[in-house]
């Protein structure tokens, strides 16, 4: 995960819940990829270090357990850079140019100069992040599948040229529920529509109060359409079936008002986020413990990645 800001409910349901469950079934490596943050934000890296800490706290608060998974910062494991360099020798440039997000992001982020090698090469760095651990599987969303396909192609090419070193990592696709932001668009820090894991009760309240509803429902007595309402979409992700049915029916029949609907959501999100906020506060209050967790994670990651690098160097005829 790139450290580009505090994490929000979209990260919780889209990734962190799934990651926490994977700790029971897999040997997991979770990396805060700070070098990747530089691919788009190299001109002003001043916030990256702070975000690394925030992301680590959010992960721990959401249930990533340093005793059951390896949690580390990418730039503390130099093998990622070495593997990126070595793989760059065998990857044709058109493979990188045809990754769909390459052109898309250049279009979208017009305010930044993305004509750098770092930006073109970020799917290759991603491949190095994965292959450094000879990973069997990677939890990804639909949008990341082309990147993982590239990673598999690179693994095949390396194995063909230098002998079997890398397994081809499989996509662990999980159907993440659709969670819009408070304005109905995709939840994102840059849209200003996110509810963050670190938000306190007052912040949650004001964000839910300001949440968009069915725009046709301008009065309490006018029935609404919950299917186009972000409040209802959020109920569908977090509330129990009884509450969802209550909101669905009450909205369509004007049996409830938007205020009632939002009050229930506020209570529910309060209950979901309170234990997360509590754990976050406890970890934040003990910076020495956080340092130790990240140090130990980096050590374990270095050890695993170094094992891979020995095979890679030998295969490529490097070293004495
Ligand atoms: S009653 Fe609930 S679902 Fe219906 S428009 Fe209002 S907030 Fe949205």
């Amino acid at each position: 995960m790139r450290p580009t800001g505090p994490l929000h409910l979209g990260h919780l349901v889209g990734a962190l819940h799934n990651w926490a469950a994977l700790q029971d079934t897999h040997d997991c490596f979770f990396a805060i990829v700070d070098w990747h943050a530089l691919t788009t934000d190299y001109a002003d890296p001043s916030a990256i270090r702070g975000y690394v800490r925030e992301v680590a706290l959010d992960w721990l608060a959401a249930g990533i357990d340093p005793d059951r998974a390896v949690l580390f910062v990418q730039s503390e494991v130099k093998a990622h850079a070495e593997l990126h360099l070595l793989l760059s020798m065998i990857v044709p440039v058109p493979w990188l140019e045809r990754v769909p997000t390459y052109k898309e992001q250049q279009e979208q982020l017009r305010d930044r100069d993305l004509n750098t090698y770092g930006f073109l090469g970020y799917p290759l760095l991603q491949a190095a992040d994965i292959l450094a651990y000879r990973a069997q599987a990677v939890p990804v969303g639909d949008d990341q599948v082309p990147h993982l396909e590239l990673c598999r192609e690179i693994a095949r090419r390396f194995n063909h040229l230098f002998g079997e070193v890398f397994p081809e990592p499989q996509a662990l696709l999980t159907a993440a529920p659709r969670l819009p932001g408070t304005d109905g668009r995709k939840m994102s820090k840059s849209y200003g529509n996110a509810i963050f894991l670190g938000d306190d009760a007052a912040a949650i309240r004001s964000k839910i109060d300001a949440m968009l509803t069915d725009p046709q429902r301008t009065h309490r007595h006018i029935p609404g359409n919950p299917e186009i309402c972000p409040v209802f979409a959020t109920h569908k992700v977090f509330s129990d079936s009884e509450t969802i049915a209550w909101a669905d029916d009450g909205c369509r029949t004007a049996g409830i008002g938007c205020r009632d609907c939002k009050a229930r959501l506020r209570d529910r999100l309060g209950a979901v986020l309170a234990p997360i906020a509590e754990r976050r506060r406890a970890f934040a209050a003990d910076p020495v413990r956080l340092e130790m967790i990240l140090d130990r994670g980096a050590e374990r990651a270095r050890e695993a990645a170094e094992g891979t690098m020995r095979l890679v160097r030998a295969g490529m005829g490097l070293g004495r």
Side-chain angles (χ1 to χ4, degrees), residues 212-214 217 224-226 229 231-232 235 247 250-251 256-258 261-262:
L212 198 80
T213 58
D214 174 359
R217 206 173 176 213
N225 176 7
C229 175
V231 177
F232 185 68
H235 268 305
C251 180
I256 60 168
C258 292
C261 196
K262 287 181 171 182

Side-chain angles (χ1 to χ4, degrees), residues 19 58 86 89 108-109 128 137 146 155 188 203 235-236 284 296 301-302 306-307 313:
W19 293 8
D58 283 334
L86 295 179
M89 306 299 170
Q108 279 167 18
L109 303 174
S188 161
H235 268 305
K236 282 210 287 195
R296 189 162 65 103
R302 277 195 293 267
E306 191 50 35
R313 291 180 206 119

Side-chain angles (χ1 to χ4, degrees), residues 210-226:
M211 228 167 151
L212 198 80
T213 58
D214 174 359
Q216 303 294 325
R217 206 173 176 213
T218 47
H219 288 100
R220 169 75 172 74
H221 64 272
I222 300 174
N225 176 7

